[in-house]
Amino acid sequence: MSRHLERLLQLDALLRLPLRQTAENLAEALEVSERTVRNDLNFLRDRYFAPLEWSKAKGYHYTDSDWRLPTITLSKGELFALTLGARMLEAYAGSAYVGELRSAIARLGERLPEQTWVDLQ
């Protein structure tokens, strides 16, 4: 994963926290300059149409909490197959990949809408 994408994902997670986010504390958390943070915020707003605003009371925040950063395109069928694969791997609890697979599925799940219906046919 590229550093820029990784930083955007971290920035997205920080913006979702119920804390007042300033360019200064975001830069500190991401270990980059304030200018880099401002460039990333502008990138999110301009390229991905992120509903970002700044206010004195809230700092940087999303005005629409349902907005998601489009990082991975995954069909419902693919998500179902991935989840099924994770369940199958649980039978092999000693596998070195079970933890990583669970983590990947959890991260993918965070990016999906609250309810998703899958036609098992």
Side-chain angles (χ1 to χ4, degrees):
M1 179 180 319
S2 76
R3 287 186 195 181
H4 187 244
L5 177 57
E6 187 174 337
R7 190 173 63 243
L8 289 177
L9 292 171
Q10 291 173 332
L11 180 59
D12 177 67
L14 290 168
L15 291 169
R16 293 183 187 285
L17 295 175
L19 303 170
R20 184 174 181 272
Q21 301 292 357
T22 64
E24 183 180 358
N25 72 334
L26 289 169
E28 185 177 321
L30 297 171
E31 299 178 350
V32 296
S33 69
E34 288 182 45
R35 182 176 179 176
T36 299
V37 167
R38 286 191 182 93
N39 287 340
D40 286 348
L41 292 168
N42 288 334
F43 182 85
L44 286 174
R45 190 180 303 117
D46 298 341
R47 182 69 62 91
Y48 292 115
F49 307 104
L52 276 170
E53 284 189 6
W54 184 88
S55 71
K56 197 169 191 175
K58 293 182 179 181
Y60 288 101
H61 63 282
Y62 289 125
T63 58
D64 178 3
S65 60
D66 291 333
W67 180 85
R68 295 287 181 252
L69 184 62
T71 56
I72 298 173
T73 303
L74 195 65
S75 73
K76 293 175 185 176
E78 289 168 331
L79 178 63
F80 177 74
L82 190 57
T83 303
L84 183 61
R87 300 274 185 218
M88 292 171 70
L89 275 178
E90 285 180 4
Y92 302 98
S95 171
Y97 300 106
V98 172
E100 290 177 7
L101 190 52
R102 278 192 193 133
S103 173
I105 290 170
R107 291 179 72 186
L108 289 171
E110 290 171 2
R111 306 251 176 243
L112 293 175
E114 284 297 314
Q115 290 186 342
T116 302
W117 297 96
V118 177
D119 181 3
L120 298 180
Q121 296 298 324

